[in-house]
Amino acid sequence: MTVQVQFERTTPLTEEQIAQYKEDGFIIIKGGCSDDLIHTFNAHIHAIRSSDEMPDWAKPKKGKEFIDDNDRFSVRLFNPHLHDGFSLQMMKLPIVRGSLAQLLGDEATGVQSMYFYKEPNSPGQAAHQDYYYIRNEPNSLTATWIAMEQVNEENGCLWVIPGSHKLGVLSHGAVKNLQEHEAWTDEVEDVDLSKEIPVIMDQGDILIFDSLLIHSSTRNRSNRWRRSYVCHYIRHDSKIEREDLKRKISLV
């Protein structure tokens, strides 16, 4: 039996959507993932983290240190695509590959993945630009943020400043509001954060945004989780500085 593999690249974005991305620095693909796919992936990640024989790569850790087992479902799962086939395929979704190629003008490659839990009452991350943490040249860094359930202001959605990607690379300093945000990150400086707007998403929606877009998240004030799968990509011809992210994953 011959197995056929489909390598043809899709072009899911309209000219209007591409123009909106260039203007705002972000775009939402509504219903980019089916409910079945979302439920299956959530259950898969839960099975990994709930296993009595959890592999070392999946254990909750901060920095290089493993932390308490009670944090199985609070600490993000970092770079699962390097170890888990399902996570890898979620990074390589055809709708993502096609959209990124349209926005970047050529094939993208994956460099990082993170599965976030964001349990009730957990804090968010202060306003920042992804390029500050992941330097690459020429800069083509782009993020996809898949909503693994409904996301709104109550359970700590993202907030963005439309058009802020046009400001260039900005300075970052200490986090100011430690009641709202994690202390271990940095916060963009000299920017009017009152211009931030909430990014409301339904389960399965895919947010794509530029690495220079100013964005943040708020504390989860609900009794619901706010799970998400976030991947970062660069164009195949860009070079990344961080040693731990130098491995490029083809999306083909």
Side-chain angles (χ1 to χ4, degrees), residues 49-77:
R49 269 281 169 93
S50 61
S51 172
D52 290 336
E53 298 181 359
M54 193 189 331
D56 283 349
W57 65 264
K59 291 179 179 178
K61 65 181 70 173
K62 290 186 178 179
K64 296 182 179 180
E65 300 296 325
F66 295 125
I67 56 180
D68 195 282
D69 200 48
N70 293 327
D71 290 315
R72 284 173 181 254
F73 304 110
S74 59
V75 176
R76 67 181 178 175
L77 187 60

Side-chain angles (χ1 to χ4, degrees), residues 50-242:
S50 61
S51 172
D52 290 336
E53 298 181 359
M54 193 189 331
D56 283 349
W57 65 264
K59 291 179 179 178
K61 65 181 70 173
K62 290 186 178 179
K64 296 182 179 180
E65 300 296 325
F66 295 125
I67 56 180
D68 195 282
D69 200 48
N70 293 327
D71 290 315
R72 284 173 181 254
F73 304 110
S74 59
V75 176
R76 67 181 178 175
L77 187 60
F78 188 67
N79 276 343
H81 74 280
L82 295 178
H83 312 276
D84 173 60
F86 199 163
S87 300
L88 175 62
Q89 293 308 312
M90 290 293 288
M91 171 182 269
K92 298 169 66 170
L93 289 174
I95 193 171
V96 168
R97 177 195 172 203
S99 297
L100 291 174
Q102 287 181 276
L103 296 173
L104 298 179
D106 205 342
E107 287 284 354
T109 54
V111 294
Q112 178 175 265
S113 65
M114 296 173 287
Y115 185 97
F116 286 95
Y117 290 94
K118 196 156 188 181
E119 62 186 331
N121 200 41
S122 59
Q125 185 172 357
H128 64 284
Q129 296 171 306
D130 284 349
Y131 180 79
Y132 175 77
Y133 295 101
I134 308 177
R135 305 276 175 152
N136 68 109
E137 298 300 335
N139 181 26
S140 60
L141 184 69
T142 309
T144 63
W145 201 102
I146 303 177
M148 306 307 290
E149 54 211 316
Q150 187 184 44
V151 179
N152 55 29
E153 296 102 317
E154 289 184 352
N155 67 342
C157 68
L158 290 188
W159 291 68
V160 303
I161 300 181
S164 57
H165 63 302
K166 300 176 183 179
L167 298 176
V169 183
L170 302 175
S171 59
H172 289 59
V175 174
K176 301 176 183 66
N177 186 350
L178 296 179
Q179 295 299 314
E180 192 73 26
H181 302 126
E182 293 275 10
W184 59 270
T185 63
D186 291 320
E187 183 173 4
V188 70
E189 297 180 320
D190 302 321
V191 171
D192 182 4
L193 296 181
S194 68
K195 295 181 179 180
E196 282 189 311
I197 62 171
V199 181
I200 310 302
M201 301 172 67
D202 293 319
Q203 178 179 279
D205 289 351
I206 303 175
L207 170 69
I208 303 178
F209 61 93
D210 188 279
S211 66
L212 296 179
L213 181 75
I214 297 172
H215 61 288
S216 66
S217 60
T218 51
R219 181 175 290 278
N220 185 349
R221 292 181 169 80
S222 73
N223 59 2
R224 299 183 293 119
W225 294 71
R226 194 226 65 182
R227 292 168 295 179
S228 59
Y229 188 54
V230 183
C231 294
H232 285 96
Y233 306 83
I234 58 175
R235 260 178 56 141
H236 69 90
D237 52 357
S238 292
K239 294 183 179 180
I240 209 156
E241 293 185 8
R242 279 176 51 176

